[in-house]
Amino acid sequence: NAGVTQTPKFQVLKTGQSMTLQCAQDMNHNSMYWYRQDPGMGLRLIYYSASEGTTDKGEVPNGYNVSRLNKREFSLRLESAAPSQTSVYFCASRELLIPDGYTFGSGTRLTVV
Amino acid sequence: QQQVKQSPQSLIVQKGGISIINCAYENTAFDYFPWYQQFPGKGPALLIAIRPDVSEKKEGRFTISFNKSAKQFSLHIMDSQPGDSATYFCAAYHRGAQKLVFGQGTRLTINP
């Protein structure tokens, strides 16, 4: 099925541990995004990649790094997890210049204890 | 800084009633206003969208009303059904920055 695939779906980390969230899309989209969703805050942009080979900071980039591995894959890394990073993380992709072309994955629910 | 403000945070409506969710923005550079619907355990999915040169857009039971001078827009769900129970996000798209900014979300519950 075409779409955005995120792994893992659930993860529990201890404070200070690191992990990488994986995202892959099979729609040949140029742009990919990482958002976090918190109650009462909506979805906030962490990092994005407008096209393969480029990455830029979003609204809340502190504590995260990203890698655009190729056109299909965009990973999000937490180097030293903190309880404030407990959230649901969504990856999205879209074709550049199409404002309503966002396709979201099903999310990764991360808990940092 | 929340660039798109959404209200209410939660809403309970009886089956058959009208659900209304409101959003306001400040940045006049926003030029496209979509609404997303999210079911539990799923990612948001585009529901309906409007451009600022149109005051209203209707798709089935869903209508967006847009007031450019007031910088406000709203989603109306007519004849609300239990299957409409979900979280709804308004959003605003900044064409120059190529970014989508979301409101805080509204958890809608339709009681049977």
Side-chain angles (χ1 to χ4, degrees), chain A residues 59-93:
Chain A
E59 184 183 353
V60 289
N62 292 343
Y64 306 95
N65 285 299
V66 291
S67 296
R68 183 74 182 266
L69 305 172
N70 48 55
K71 191 172 185 179
R72 292 186 62 248
E73 298 173 287
F74 188 38
S75 63
L76 178 71
R77 183 161 178 83
L78 288 70
E79 291 290 350
S80 179
S84 61
Q85 295 178 305
T86 293
S87 187
V88 181
Y89 291 86
F90 287 98
C91 177
S93 72

Side-chain angles (χ1 to χ4, degrees), chain A residues 33 35 37-45 48 57-59 90 94 96-102 104-107, chain B residues 1-2 9 32 34 36 38 41-46 49 51 87 89 93 95 97-105:
Chain A
Y33 304 81
Y35 287 88
Q37 182 178 0
D38 302 290
M41 301 293 288
L43 289 99
R44 293 179 293 169
L45 183 63
Y48 67 102
K57 296 178 180 179
E59 184 183 353
F90 287 98
R94 74 173 177 118
L96 196 62
L97 303 181
I98 300 178
D100 58 357
Y102 286 78
F104 285 82
S106 295
Chain B
Q1 180 183 1
Q2 196 75 36
Q9 190 168 353
Y32 192 72
Y36 283 79
Q38 182 185 32
K42 302 293 186 183
L46 179 67
R51 298 191 183 278
T87 298
F89 293 97
Y93 180 75
R95 187 175 300 276
Q98 290 286 307
K99 290 181 184 177
L100 190 65
V101 179
F102 287 87
Q104 294 93 326

Side-chain angles (χ1 to χ4, degrees), chain B:
Chain B
Q1 180 183 1
Q2 196 75 36
Q3 296 187 53
V4 179
K5 295 185 177 180
Q6 182 173 347
S7 62
Q9 190 168 353
S10 63
L11 180 63
I12 300 174
V13 175
Q14 292 299 116
K15 179 182 176 182
I18 302 173
S19 303
I20 302 174
I21 304 170
N22 300 299
C23 286
Y25 65 98
E26 289 295 327
N27 192 340
T28 56
F30 291 136
D31 58 4
Y32 192 72
F33 300 88
W35 285 85
Y36 283 79
Q37 181 186 54
Q38 182 185 32
F39 293 107
K42 302 293 186 183
L46 179 67
L47 179 65
I48 186 173
I50 195 168
R51 298 191 183 278
D53 55 347
V54 177
S55 61
E56 185 176 282
K57 183 174 182 180
K58 183 176 181 179
E59 291 185 359
R61 296 183 295 107
F62 300 90
T63 300
I64 300 177
S65 297
F66 188 85
N67 186 329
K68 187 174 182 178
S69 61
K71 291 186 282 188
Q72 296 175 348
F73 57 111
S74 59
L75 176 69
H76 292 64
I77 305 175
M78 310 300 288
D79 187 27
S80 299
Q81 299 297 312
D84 297 331
S85 296
T87 298
Y88 291 81
F89 293 97
C90 63
Y93 180 75
H94 190 301
R95 187 175 300 276
Q98 290 286 307
K99 290 181 184 177
L100 190 65
V101 179
F102 287 87
Q104 294 93 326
T106 296
R107 177 173 290 185
L108 175 65
T109 302
I110 308 300
N111 286 333

